[in-house]
Amino acid sequence: MKIIGIALLMMECLMTFSLSIDIFQGFDVSQALYNAVSPFRVMEVAELFVLFFLLFLFLLNLLIFL
């Protein structure tokens, strides 16, 4: 139970930090919340490429060791 509580507390602290950085950059609160809850929509093309490449490697690894 302690681990879940610590994980939720860390998530709350990190989301607050992320929201405050977005607000300091000039976004309004609604845009900052949108960025916080939809991380895949704000990713650049290179970041999406790395994400899909790592997912591909993970799936390839699963297929090899089956």
Side-chain angles (χ1 to χ4, degrees), residues 20-46:
S20 64
I21 287 176
D22 281 347
I23 291 171
F24 284 136
Q25 286 182 344
F27 294 111
D28 57 348
V29 177
S30 63
Q31 184 65 31
L33 283 172
Y34 179 75
N35 288 345
V37 297
S38 61
F40 296 111
R41 292 187 180 209
V42 295
M43 291 177 76
E44 298 287 332
V45 176

Side-chain angles (χ1 to χ4, degrees), residues 1 3 5 9 14 17 19-22 25 28 32 34 36 38 40 43 46 48 52 54 57 60 62 64:
M1 192 68 177
I3 294 173
L9 180 65
L14 289 172
F17 182 66
L19 288 173
S20 64
I21 287 176
D22 281 347
Q25 286 182 344
D28 57 348
Y34 179 75
S38 61
F40 296 111
M43 291 177 76
L48 286 171
F52 288 126
L54 291 174
L57 289 179
L60 185 66
L62 283 177
I64 289 174

